[in-house]
């Protein structure tokens, strides 16, 4: 088969010192995963190439195991025959041992067809050009895969809060049967889960551009978050900035707003003075936490006190009098 053993081990994802039983176990698991009948048309060409390459790697490694065993058996036979020939001592030139070696090799040749690797050839033969071509394509693709097709998946803060389904459409390069490359428009459905963050990636394996001699690229969609007019996301928390006139911050203030869920929330500050930098935390009203079912971040309301830009002399005097009395 002409390929280095390291490549066969890499295809089967096994170490170099794997036993025949472990080779068979790895082979069975991989052919179940990559059997072409279990794949949709979009990934069937890749599955066929991998299936054939896996089969060839399996056969090659079993052949190597078989050859070692047979070679060891033949060497044992030769060693015994040389000992007998050496005891005869009458023919000189070693004619006896050469005849014995011929019989020993003949014995090895006759015993080989019953081994598992030879029986496997009856089921799958990689000696045909199609098998060699598939193996060559697959083995080279271990090191080489077409660059990914990357796109943005734009989501509103509401979509990331509730979760949603989004259909994405994109154009990919497809290799035809005659080897030419054509453009094809495809669509996929993305299930956006509640709490997904900006930078989250959704990968469609093998749905990117195709290139001759390479595995199909992946199509990767990266979540981006549209700017929200009211809320800003910080980790799993939501931040709401509220502007409060100075007079309201000093004398009492109330306001209401709607959460991303649509629920209306009211905040009232009648018995307290709102200072610059004051922040009110409403627990459990932030974004869902994907890693912990049912958990949510907090809503942080930050108050921005709006000071008047100018005051009359009379207003200044009045404020000074009031503030002095309160200190």
């Amino acid at each position: 088969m002409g390929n280095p053993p390291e490549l066969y081990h890499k295809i089967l994802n096994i170490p170099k010192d794997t036993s025949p039983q472990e080779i068979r176990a790895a082979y069975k698991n991989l052919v179940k995963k990559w059997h072409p009948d279990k794949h949709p048309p979009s990934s069937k060409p890749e599955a066929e190439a991998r299936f054939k390459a896996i089969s060839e790697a399996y056969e090659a490694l079993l052949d190597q195991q078989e050859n070692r065993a047979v070679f060891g058996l033949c060497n044992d036979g030769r060693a015994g025959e040389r000992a007998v020939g050496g005891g005869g001592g009458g023919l000189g030139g070693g004619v006896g041992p050469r005849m014995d070696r011929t019989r020993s090799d003949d014995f090895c040749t006759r015993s080989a067809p019953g081994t598992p690797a030879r029986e496997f050839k009856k089921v799958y033969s990689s000696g045909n050009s199609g098998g060699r071509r598939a193996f060559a394509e697959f083995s080279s693709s271990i090191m080489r895969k077409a660059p990914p097709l990357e796109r943005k998946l734009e989501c509103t803060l509401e979509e990331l809060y509730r979760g949603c389904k989004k259909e994405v459409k994109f154009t990919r390069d497809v290799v035809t049967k005659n080897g030419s490359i054509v453009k094809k428009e495809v669509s996929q459905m993305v299930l956006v889960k509640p709490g997904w963050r900006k930078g989250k990636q959704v990968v469609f394996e093998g749905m990117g551009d195709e290139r001759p001699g390479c595995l199909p690229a992946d199509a990767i969609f990266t979540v981006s978050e549209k700017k929200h007019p009211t809320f800003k996301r910080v980790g799993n928390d939501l931040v709401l900035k509220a502007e409060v006139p100075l007079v309201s911050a000093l004398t009492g203030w109330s306001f209401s707003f709607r959460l991303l869920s649509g629920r209306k929330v009211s905040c009232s500050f009648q018995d307290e003075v709102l200072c610059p930098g004051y922040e009110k935390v409403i627990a459990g009203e932030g974004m869902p936490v994907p890693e912990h079912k049912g958990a949510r971040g907090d809503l942080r309301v930050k108050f921005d006190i709006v000071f008047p830009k100018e005051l009359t002399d009379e207003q200044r005097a009045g404020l000074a009098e009031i503030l002095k009395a309160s200190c």
Side-chain angles (χ1 to χ4, degrees):
M1 297 177 187
N3 293 290
E6 293 80 6
L7 181 59
Y8 297 131
H9 286 98
K10 190 167 186 178
I11 291 172
L12 295 182
N13 194 25
I14 55 176
K16 295 180 180 179
D17 57 350
T18 305
S19 67
Q21 292 78 12
E22 291 171 326
I23 293 174
R24 292 189 185 95
Y27 166 74
K28 288 180 180 179
N29 289 333
L30 288 172
V31 294
K32 286 179 182 178
K33 178 180 178 181
W34 291 106
H35 196 288
D37 292 345
K38 294 184 177 181
H39 286 259
S42 59
S43 61
K44 197 165 186 174
E46 177 186 357
E48 288 175 346
R50 286 182 179 268
F51 184 80
K52 290 177 181 178
I54 289 162
S55 299
E56 180 166 342
Y58 170 71
E59 180 183 0
L61 290 178
L62 284 192
D63 275 348
Q64 290 174 11
Q65 295 281 351
E66 170 199 335
N67 290 340
R68 290 193 191 102
V70 173
F71 182 71
L73 178 61
C74 293
N75 279 347
D76 291 344
R78 292 168 190 164
E81 286 155 2
R82 288 191 187 98
V84 172
L91 293 176
V95 175
R98 281 199 297 272
M99 293 177 63
D100 289 338
R101 281 198 295 273
T102 302
R103 289 195 295 273
S104 178
D105 291 342
D106 184 57
F107 167 79
C108 296
T109 304
R110 288 198 308 272
S111 64
T115 61
R118 292 294 185 265
E119 292 299 324
F120 178 74
K121 284 185 177 179
K122 298 177 182 178
V123 180
Y124 170 78
S125 174
S126 60
N128 60 76
S129 60
R132 287 195 298 271
R133 184 171 60 252
F135 183 83
E137 291 175 358
F138 174 66
S139 59
S140 63
S141 71
I142 291 177
M143 307 297 183
R144 182 176 58 181
K145 189 173 187 177
L149 186 153
E150 299 184 87
R151 297 287 186 273
K152 286 185 178 180
L153 180 64
E154 289 192 331
C155 298
T156 65
L157 201 53
E158 286 84 358
E159 290 173 333
L160 295 174
Y161 181 87
R162 300 189 185 98
C164 65
K165 288 182 179 180
K166 294 181 77 76
E167 184 181 18
V168 293
K169 295 182 179 181
F170 56 98
T171 302
R172 61 189 294 245
D173 293 341
V174 177
V175 179
T176 63
K177 292 182 178 179
N178 60 13
S180 61
I181 297 177
V182 297
K183 299 287 185 181
K184 181 180 179 182
E185 185 173 325
V186 295
S187 63
Q188 293 288 329
M189 191 65 68
V190 178
L191 178 62
V192 178
K193 295 184 179 180
W196 272 10
R197 301 179 182 89
K198 178 175 64 176
K200 168 73 176 179
Q201 290 190 329
V202 181
V203 180
F204 295 102
E205 292 188 2
M207 290 302 296
D209 292 331
E210 295 181 358
R211 292 289 183 270
C214 296
L215 283 176
D218 297 334
I220 301 176
F221 286 82
T222 303
V223 173
S224 65
E225 183 183 298
K226 293 182 180 179
K227 187 176 180 179
H228 197 273
T230 305
F231 298 100
K232 180 180 179 180
R233 183 176 185 175
V234 179
N236 293 318
D237 293 342
L238 290 173
V239 177
L240 169 64
K241 287 188 176 181
E243 292 186 346
V244 185
L246 177 61
V247 63
S248 298
L250 295 172
T251 61
W253 186 65
S254 61
F255 78 111
S256 60
F257 59 92
R258 290 194 179 276
L259 300 170
L260 292 176
S261 63
R263 185 167 66 87
K264 189 175 182 180
V265 174
S266 296
C267 293
S268 181
F269 305 92
Q270 301 300 329
D271 301 324
E272 56 184 310
V273 174
L274 298 179
C275 302
Y278 179 78
E279 179 177 301
K280 182 177 178 63
V281 178
I282 304 176
E285 293 295 349
M287 295 293 292
V289 181
E291 298 83 4
H292 303 284
K293 187 176 181 181
R296 292 182 181 275
D298 298 331
L299 172 63
R300 291 150 48 194
V301 184
K302 293 186 175 182
F303 296 96
D304 184 13
I305 310 303
V306 181
F307 285 76
K309 294 182 178 179
E310 58 183 27
L311 293 172
T312 65
D313 292 341
E314 184 179 353
Q315 288 172 328
R316 290 175 186 275
L319 281 173
E321 188 70 26
I322 293 172
L323 293 175
K324 284 180 182 178
S326 64
C327 295

